[in-house]
Amino acid sequence: MRQARIGIFLIFLLCLNLVQSNFLSFLQASDSLKDAFQGKFKIGTSVSPNELSYGTDFIKKHFNSITPENELKPDSILDQTGSQQSGNNVNPKVSFRSGTQTTLRFCEQNKIPLRGHTFVWHAQTPEWFFKENFQQSGNFVSKDIMNQRLENFIKNTFELLKKDYPQLEVYAYDVCNEVFQGGGGGLRPASESKWMQVYGSDEYIVNAFTYARKYAPSGCKLYINDFNEYMNAKTQNIYDMATKLKQKGVIDGIGMQSHLGVSFPSAQMYASALDKFASTGLEVQITELDINQEGNEQAQASLYKEVFSAAVKHANQIPAVTLWGTHDAVSWIKDKNPLPFGTNYELKKAYYSIMQVAGA
Ligand code: 9MR
């Protein structure tokens, strides 16, 4: 009788151990976002260099794609003095400042693939880039001069990336960002975009992609990226332009920024834009996902779940889903608590709902 009791007790201990180890391995297998979505798509984040002095363990744990939040934008990498000194009015000089270096070095050393963001944008692009002799106060240059500048800007950037970070994998690049009006309805007018001021048509977009195709390293996919991409007029604008560029063989994907709110857009509206973009046959990436919580963490979690579910349905065309920021404290809209990780990196409801999608 006593032996039987000891036997039962030992079996109980064995079961307990099994349950515990399964539970632990379940936790281990599932608590990293990137690991949970392995085989489906990369999980990316935007990063600012500041964070790399304290947040690297967290970043390495959860993310396998990085977009520098500001450090590859034209105003970060275009060098006015260098351009004036040796640019002969057509060859803008590109140089990486310390913040850019910090981020690129981190990606290279930790073998984290990079999404480049961005070449052609109406914002964060210095005025002198469009002006005679690279002078702030000069006249606008001709289309012909601007074509040479655009080509050299793209060429010089890719060359510098290769030279200074030979082991860095640049797997995607936003060639053009936000070229359409906010809610759609056509290209941004000249009053909003110096690109339009110089070109007056979509020629700069076609040319930018053509040059990027010429100089991008192999494996680097070229994207058109925009926000409000789920609003009908904008969806159509992006779809039409992407189709045109696809016919020319110069684009690989459509970037859906995905700055969402719990009250707009609906999950269905978002998913139907994604369906339409996927129907082009191009890749699609979710490039800047965040969701304004609007005081309702549960609703935020639900929308995250729907967005990830929609992405999983198209996983064969989606190489990466990128969150715009690692955690609420560093978000560009931190008062809206838009990310799945809270101010102190705590796991929010949204985190758990995303993980449910991964397990499904
Ligand atoms: O998150 C970026 C923020 O730090 C900058 O101040 C801002 C300047 O324009 O750009 C933010 O990132 C934007 C991205 O480059 C393009 N899509 C919208 C993003 C949020 O504004």
Side-chain angles (χ1 to χ4, degrees):
M1 186 63 185
R2 186 158 177 262
Q3 274 174 343
R5 269 200 209 135
I6 292 173
I8 289 168
F9 182 63
L10 285 176
I11 290 169
F12 171 74
L13 281 182
L14 186 67
C15 290
L16 189 67
N17 192 17
L18 277 175
V19 168
Q20 269 181 341
S21 63
N22 275 340
F23 183 64
L24 281 178
S25 67
F26 166 76
L27 267 186
Q28 268 160 9
S30 66
D31 76 342
S32 148
L33 280 183
K34 74 169 166 52
D35 292 349
F37 283 89
Q38 197 173 18
K40 295 189 175 72
F41 36 70
K42 291 183 173 66
I43 301 291
T45 182
S46 66
V47 158
S48 67
N50 263 355
E51 271 189 276
L52 297 176
S53 58
Y54 61 87
T56 52
D57 286 348
F58 176 80
I59 292 170
K60 285 192 275 186
K61 173 172 178 175
H62 288 289
F63 303 104
N64 49 3
S65 167
I66 281 182
T67 308
E69 185 171 0
N70 289 295
E71 290 65 33
L72 282 178
K73 291 175 177 173
D75 65 355
S76 290
I77 63 173
L78 280 167
D79 170 354
Q80 184 178 20
T81 310
S83 302
Q84 285 177 337
Q85 279 167 357
S86 59
N88 198 25
N89 205 31
V90 291
N91 192 0
K93 181 142 173 31
V94 170
S95 57
F96 297 149
R97 294 167 210 151
S98 80
T100 308
Q101 291 172 19
T102 303
T103 306
L104 297 178
R105 196 181 318 118
F106 174 75
C107 293
E108 185 183 46
Q109 283 174 353
N110 293 287
K111 299 189 174 16
I112 303 179
L114 180 100
R115 277 199 101 252
H117 173 79
T118 177
F119 288 126
V120 168
W121 194 18
H122 67 285
Q124 285 184 272
T125 306
E127 182 129 1
W128 59 260
F129 185 52
F130 302 93
K131 300 286 188 70
E132 286 293 349
N133 302 317
F134 300 114
Q135 269 166 6
Q136 187 73 13
S137 56
N139 292 323
F140 281 98
V141 296
S142 65
K143 262 201 264 184
D144 177 48
I145 299 284
M146 203 64 221
N147 277 334
Q148 296 177 64
R149 289 184 179 190
L150 178 56
E151 177 164 4
N152 284 320
F153 174 40
I154 291 172
K155 176 175 185 270
N156 293 343
T157 305
F158 280 130
E159 281 180 359
L160 193 58
L161 282 166
K162 184 75 204 159
K163 175 173 151 296
D164 287 358
Y165 304 93
Q167 304 303 320
L168 176 66
E169 182 189 346
V170 184
Y171 80 101
Y173 222 103
D174 291 331
V175 177
C176 290
N177 188 42
E178 304 176 2
V179 292
F180 298 107
Q181 292 179 47
L187 290 174
R188 252 172 224 286
S191 57
E192 288 178 20
S193 165
K194 305 275 182 296
W195 290 105
M196 269 308 255
Q197 206 152 325
V198 172
Y199 285 86
S201 75
D202 67 5
E203 201 182 330
Y204 68 99
I205 303 171
V206 175
N207 291 355
F209 274 93
T210 307
Y211 303 142
R213 185 59 104 211
K214 195 164 158 193
Y215 300 107
S218 70
C220 175
K221 300 298 179 72
L222 305 177
Y223 277 74
I224 188 162
N225 192 47
D226 218 318
F227 67 99
N228 282 348
E229 67 281 0
Y230 37 78
M231 291 170 75
N232 286 340
K234 191 78 162 261
T235 310
Q236 191 65 44
N237 284 161
I238 298 168
Y239 176 91
D240 290 343
M241 182 58 72
T243 304
K244 177 172 174 172
L245 295 165
K246 187 180 180 224
Q247 277 158 6
K248 295 178 186 296
V250 292
I251 191 173
D252 300 299
I254 297 172
M256 303 175 71
Q257 289 190 9
S258 311
H259 296 294
L260 315 178
V262 298
S263 54
F264 186 82
S266 67
Q268 196 195 7
M269 197 173 172
Y270 183 83
S272 80
L274 173 50
D275 289 345
K276 187 162 173 112
F277 295 144
S279 77
T280 60
L282 292 165
E283 291 182 354
V284 180
Q285 284 196 30
I286 295 174
T287 55
E288 304 182 14
L289 178 60
D290 52 18
I291 301 179
N292 182 344
Q293 188 173 296
E294 295 171 32
N296 189 342
E297 200 184 327
Q298 187 54 52
Q300 181 187 47
S302 303
L303 189 53
Y304 264 110
K305 188 172 183 178
E306 306 254 26
V307 169
F308 272 81
S309 301
V312 164
K313 279 194 203 125
H314 289 287
N316 59 339
Q317 268 173 278
I318 298 189
V321 173
T322 292
L323 294 161
W324 203 243
T326 52
H327 65 304
D328 283 343
V330 298
S331 164
W332 69 296
I333 42 170
K334 58 172 170 248
D335 54 320
K336 317 271 196 278
N337 301 316
L339 294 164
F341 299 99
T343 300
N344 298 308
Y345 292 104
E346 68 274 17
L347 308 178
K348 291 167 59 180
K349 288 186 169 62
Y351 164 86
Y352 291 104
S353 70
I354 294 169
M355 292 307 258
Q356 272 179 12
V357 178

